[in-house]
Amino acid sequence: MRRELDDIKATTRKMAVVLAGNAERFSRIESRLDSIDNKLETLNAVKQALESFTSEIIASRNDRLLFNRTFDDQRETLLDHELRLTRLERRGRSS
């Protein structure tokens, strides 16, 4: 009976050591997961900033394209007016 009790104590001690080792491992794993979570939050903030910046760049490009189209349209109108004025001036001189 005494021997069985000693075996139970020894087994209990071994289990306590194993459990204590696992608790340390779980603690390290939890610490690593917290670190990864913090890194993910930082990456998410960077991603949001880049998305905002990218949308501003796209909007700026679209505005520039619209301006260029408008400018080109106005240039064509201006050239038409210049051509008509030149024709009118020539007619006025020849009369």
Side-chain angles (χ1 to χ4, degrees), residues 2-27:
R2 178 81 180 145
R3 182 161 193 218
E4 290 174 357
L5 188 57
D6 288 339
D7 287 344
I8 291 172
K9 285 181 182 178
T11 303
T12 304
R13 285 186 189 129
K14 288 179 185 176
M15 288 174 61
V17 169
V18 169
L19 289 174
N22 285 339
E24 288 179 30
R25 287 186 194 118
F26 289 139
S27 176

Side-chain angles (χ1 to χ4, degrees), residues 25-38:
R25 287 186 194 118
F26 289 139
S27 176
R28 286 193 304 251
I29 290 171
E30 187 176 6
S31 174
R32 288 180 185 165
L33 288 174
D34 288 342
S35 174
I36 289 171
D37 191 41
N38 289 338

Side-chain angles (χ1 to χ4, degrees), residues 27-91:
S27 176
R28 286 193 304 251
I29 290 171
E30 187 176 6
S31 174
R32 288 180 185 165
L33 288 174
D34 288 342
S35 174
I36 289 171
D37 191 41
N38 289 338
K39 289 177 184 177
L40 287 174
E41 286 178 12
T42 302
L43 287 174
N44 191 37
V46 169
K47 178 186 167 218
Q48 288 175 347
L50 286 174
E51 286 175 346
S52 174
F53 180 70
T54 302
S55 66
E56 288 179 22
I57 289 174
I58 290 171
S60 176
R61 285 182 180 168
N62 289 339
D63 288 347
R64 205 171 350 148
L65 285 172
L66 182 61
F67 174 80
N68 288 341
R69 286 182 189 148
T70 304
F71 182 77
D72 288 342
D73 291 345
Q74 295 300 321
R75 186 182 329 164
E76 287 180 25
T77 303
L78 180 62
L79 291 174
D80 285 346
H81 288 311
E82 286 178 357
L83 182 61
R84 284 190 300 143
L85 284 173
T86 304
R87 288 179 184 158
L88 286 173
E89 287 173 352
R90 285 183 187 161
R91 285 184 197 160

